[in-house]
Amino acid sequence: MEKILKELIDYALEQGADYADIRHIELEEEEIRTEDQEVQSINNKSDKGAGIRVLVNGAWGFAATSDLDNLEQTALKAIRIAVASSKVNRNPVDLAEKEVMDDFYETPIERDPFEVPLDEKIELLLDAEEKMVEAAELFQTGGSLSFRKEKKIYCDSEGSYLVQKLYESGGGITAKAVGDDLQVRNYPCGFGGNYSKAGYEFIEELDLLGHAEEIAREAEALTEAEEIPAGKYDLVIDSSQMTLQIHESIGHPIELDRVFGSEAAFAGTSFLETEMAGEFQYGSEKVNVVADATCPGGLGSFGYDDEGVPAQKVKIIEDGILKNFLTSRETAFELDESSGGAALADGWSKLPLIRMTNINLEPGDYEFAELIAGIDYGFYLKNNRSWSIDDLRLNFQFGCEIAYEIKDGELTGRIFKNPVYTGSTPEFWRSCDGIAGEEDWQLYGVPNCGKGEPMQSGHVGHGSAPARFKNVQIGVDK
Amino acid sequence: MLKKSGAYMVLDRILSTAGSLDMQVILKGENQELTRFAGSEIHQNVASDELEAEITLHKDGRELKVTTNDFDNDSLRKLVKEAGQRLMELPESERVKSFISEPADISSDNYFKELEREFNIENRAQKLKAAFGELDSDLNAAGSLELNQNFMALGNTNGITRYSRLDKVDFKTVITEQSGATGYAAAISNRAEDIDIGKEFKRAADKARDSRDAIEIEPGEYDVILEPAAVGGLISYLSYIGFSGRSVQEGMSFLADRLGEQVFGDNITLVDDCQDPNTIDFPFDFQGAKRQKLNIIENGVAKELAYDLESARKAGVETTGHSVGDPSVGGFPLHLVMANGEAELGEMIAGTEKGLLITRFHYINVINPRKAILTGLTRDGTFLIENGRVKAPVKNLRFTQNIVESLNQVEAISSSREKVGGFYGYMYLPALKVNGFNFTGVSK
């Protein structure tokens, strides 16, 4: 394969490309879903193909094919596209320098999920469903597991040749109960569960069986619970919801292609500008955020990005001040910097875009009980249920699955349903007055981050401990 | 791009590996070419050609699906053999699993060949270059122009065959004025003559200029005039949460226990109709069933839901041909058409004492599916109307609104309709004037 890809790069240069790179990817996926204690679906996918990216006269062209006997024609198509673009554009693309690398990287795993017997996986989900059904009066139960193995070869005209073997594992369970309305509790988080760059050991560590009864009872209890009262309250937000909060109100605004307007017509832009780095108070001094593609188990971890740039840990917010953006080689050049290694594509058929890696809120120095103790009356919110944010990434509104009442510095045991909170990004992060410590810090994976046209689904991670925010608007639900 | 005869040959080749198993094969081919621009320059210009087969196997109530894009004969035989072995590892189920057996063939290989001629690589670049050249220097354009040629073919071991060609062009632009004010316009169609890039640029540019110096208004209840793109956002999400048989069975739908009742105002009629010339002709679903016309809402009364085979069996009815290949979705209407009214947009504005004119919504999501409460924000052209005139552009607002209530408060419906992109394909929708729309926040 190395010879074929290197010869193809040479062919693209001979045909007029000034720069060329190719990604050849072989992908295997498995998804298992159960519902109402029966197997609902088993889907396995195998897929391979190659995407070729070229620069001609400073303009990009990209073409991809699943027909691997047709790579030269695909390279010619990429060049034809770049030539057409170059006749429109006034400003040629430049790329930040990078080191030429020849390397192999593999996700560290203990148990290959594709070697685990199918019946073991199904039994786990059905057993978890049985525990939920036994624990509470439920309308519906369900569970899912999904696995992914990707062999990615990257080769470019600057001389880099990189092979990566990446594994992902994920899963979760769901309990639905019906009273006046339908209430849903998921473990470990909403929408299919949690995901990690890891082997089957990640599923075992999730302990789906150990959490089944709790979410079943909570789903049932929520059907009897009152709606959360509207008003401004102090909140402690669990890591399972902090994931979406970080994702939408930090992760997306720091994508430098958004800042430059590349997503203006679709996903939107950003309230940030490049001049704000080093100056802008994004959050309180408690807030420290990194983009860490080296984080063990992070869904956004890898060895090299899709421009052959090594995985890095980049400071994004330090003591509340914005420091850096997520960059690719093209956007980093505009800042006269080297790439932060955040150019990633959703498979062989898509062009690399700036994507989040693992955008992590670093742990603070509070005990969880201390966070709760600092609230006279407020709520502890868990698990995301809905999300929405404006096209500048300022005005957000999130729904959660459950709110636990806090009174006089203690959790009372009372729960409320349908919690929704809303705010504006910098004001919200500046109101953060405490973050729990390392022992409460958890990583969550988001396998469906949408961006770009054609739409690409990013696999990104977020680590966080529960955090406290002051005076947040709750309950706009009409 | 495989034509019908070529696709059927590939289907036959895969189905011949079935042995004693029941098998369905979906063959999906797509040539996608998309030119993306920002700052009035092309910054992403891509093409991909993909062909994949989804092979579903059944035996004794068990079901398993494998997807591949490797069409080598030996690879296919090995894939199906291993999948068959895995299938037998599954627990037996009393859930009925069977593929459909009639009609023998449904096919639609008509498509508009001028799409490829008009919107090939060079022509897309030239059309955009010309449009950029017409823009004033204080404006810049972002957006995308996509030529999408694709087909779906389906066959199974009961002997049925299906083929449909589903080409389209999808164009959208946001024009930004130097103050940061934006305007949006879009066009989507399977016919080349429907896509006039210069016209859409002008529409978006006019909105961007009109959006300068936006004022901030207080959140609260406003009468709103929703242009078709804004209506499309709401209808897409209503469809997602509420129009499938499964969502009613699950209790997630606002139509649960309400079939046959007046749920919207009697001026609202919404059908799903793949034969409507303003939608894409896709006459069968992902289980090979013939796509039926659905009268989802007739004069405000909830009438018919979208079913796939599984949700139909559970309900004791026939499938309506609305599978999208995912049993967790059930049926999903892809060809929504809302009945038009008699009003003109200008009349709606003239008849509004105080309200908002809304171009489109951004990032809609579901707060409560059972109550059809959605949230989202306005973007790219939101205007305050006072005393029958557009008075001023306003800063973007967040709505949190029960959409069932809104569709009971539609005061006027436009006579003209537009094709609007949805989750899949496109819809055909009018503008609506809706009273008492609830805004809960301002984007600063």
Side-chain angles (χ1 to χ4, degrees), chain A residues 30 33 35 38 42 44 46 48 80 85 89-90 139 182 248 264 387-388 390 394-395 453, chain B residues 36 41-42 45 47 65 67 69 86 93 122 172 246 250 252 328 363 365 379 398 443-444:
Chain A
E30 180 182 60
R33 284 194 233 163
E35 184 181 280
E38 292 227 33
I42 309 278
N44 282 79
S46 56
K48 60 186 175 185
R80 184 179 153 202
S85 299
N89 291 356
R90 302 174 304 265
F139 174 71
L182 186 113
E248 301 289 8
W387 61 98
S388 174
D390 71 25
L394 283 169
N395 180 301
E453 293 174 290
Chain B
R36 219 170 171 214
E41 295 207 333
I42 294 171
N45 203 352
K65 185 160 82 177
T67 303
N69 67 352
R86 283 166 62 77
S93 170
E122 287 76 16
K172 66 174 77 71
R246 183 177 158 102
E250 283 191 321
M252 297 289 279
S328 70
Y363 222 141
N365 213 326
R379 72 176 282 196
R398 171 176 294 285
S443 183
K444 302 193 181 190

Side-chain angles (χ1 to χ4, degrees), chain B residues 42-153:
Chain B
I42 294 171
H43 67 107
Q44 291 163 13
N45 203 352
V46 302
S48 65
D49 73 87
E50 302 188 47
L51 179 66
E52 70 172 25
E54 285 180 11
I55 303 166
T56 305
L57 300 171
H58 284 176
K59 189 80 175 175
D60 301 329
R62 305 174 179 97
E63 181 176 278
L64 183 140
K65 185 160 82 177
V66 289
T67 303
T68 184
N69 67 352
D70 183 349
F71 292 89
D72 172 74
N73 279 335
D74 290 342
S75 302
L76 285 169
R77 270 194 292 274
K78 181 167 178 279
L79 179 79
V80 172
K81 185 180 173 192
E82 289 176 358
Q85 288 165 350
R86 283 166 62 77
L87 180 73
M88 300 315 289
E89 290 175 31
L90 299 179
E92 283 191 44
S93 170
E94 290 181 6
R95 289 187 187 186
V96 181
K97 301 280 186 193
S98 60
F99 299 122
I100 66 161
S101 54
E102 57 182 10
D105 185 65
I106 304 173
S107 54
S108 157
D109 53 0
N110 296 322
Y111 63 99
F112 295 89
K113 296 179 179 61
E114 73 275 14
L115 277 187
E116 184 174 7
R117 247 191 340 265
E118 277 290 308
F119 292 96
N120 64 25
I121 292 168
E122 287 76 16
N123 285 349
R124 291 198 308 277
Q126 285 307 312
K127 284 173 190 286
L128 289 171
K129 186 177 184 180
F132 297 152
E134 292 293 312
L135 274 182
D136 291 341
S137 59
D138 62 333
L139 302 174
N140 75 67
S144 61
L145 176 57
E146 177 191 4
L147 168 66
N148 192 301
Q149 300 168 285
N150 74 93
F151 77 90
M152 189 171 110

Side-chain angles (χ1 to χ4, degrees), chain A residues 287-465:
Chain A
V287 176
N288 288 281
V289 175
V290 294
D292 185 3
T294 68
C295 178
L299 192 64
S301 293
F302 46 79
Y304 295 87
D305 79 353
D306 288 337
E307 295 187 311
V309 175
Q312 296 165 49
K313 182 175 182 177
V314 179
K315 279 187 179 169
I316 299 297
I317 298 171
E318 189 173 25
D319 300 331
I321 304 296
L322 175 72
K323 291 291 181 184
N324 286 297
F325 295 89
L326 293 170
T327 57
S328 59
R329 294 185 71 191
E330 180 182 350
T331 53
F333 182 87
E334 299 293 320
L335 300 185
D336 199 19
E337 293 177 359
S338 56
S339 169
L344 295 156
D346 180 10
W348 54 266
S349 66
K350 302 292 194 303
L351 184 75
L353 302 174
I354 293 180
R355 304 308 303 251
M356 293 173 226
T357 54
N358 302 295
I359 310 302
N360 298 337
L361 177 66
E362 298 204 308
D365 50 8
Y366 280 71
E367 300 280 335
F368 177 72
E370 282 182 88
L371 291 180
I372 301 291
I375 293 179
D376 292 333
Y377 191 83
F379 301 96
Y380 170 45
L381 304 184
K382 221 176 194 179
N383 269 30
N384 181 264
R385 195 169 74 168
S386 76
W387 61 98
S388 174
I389 190 163
D390 71 25
D391 57 327
L392 293 173
R393 301 272 145 184
L394 283 169
N395 180 301
F396 62 78
Q397 182 164 297
F398 291 104
C400 294
E401 289 181 359
I402 188 166
Y404 303 86
E405 184 184 53
I406 304 168
K407 203 170 183 180
D408 301 327
E410 290 186 348
L411 289 162
T412 65
R414 188 178 181 196
I415 60 171
F416 290 88
K417 68 180 180 182
N418 302 334
V420 174
Y421 69 97
T422 187
S424 187
T425 295
E427 286 80 0
F428 176 80
W429 284 105
R430 289 171 196 163
S431 80
C432 178
D433 77 335
I435 300 170
E438 196 130 13
E439 64 281 5
D440 292 307
W441 195 86
Q442 284 191 46
L443 261 173
Y444 285 90
V446 177
N448 57 351
C449 169
K451 182 179 175 184
E453 293 174 290
M455 174 69 95
Q456 299 194 35
S457 195
H459 293 227
V460 310
H462 301 292
S464 166

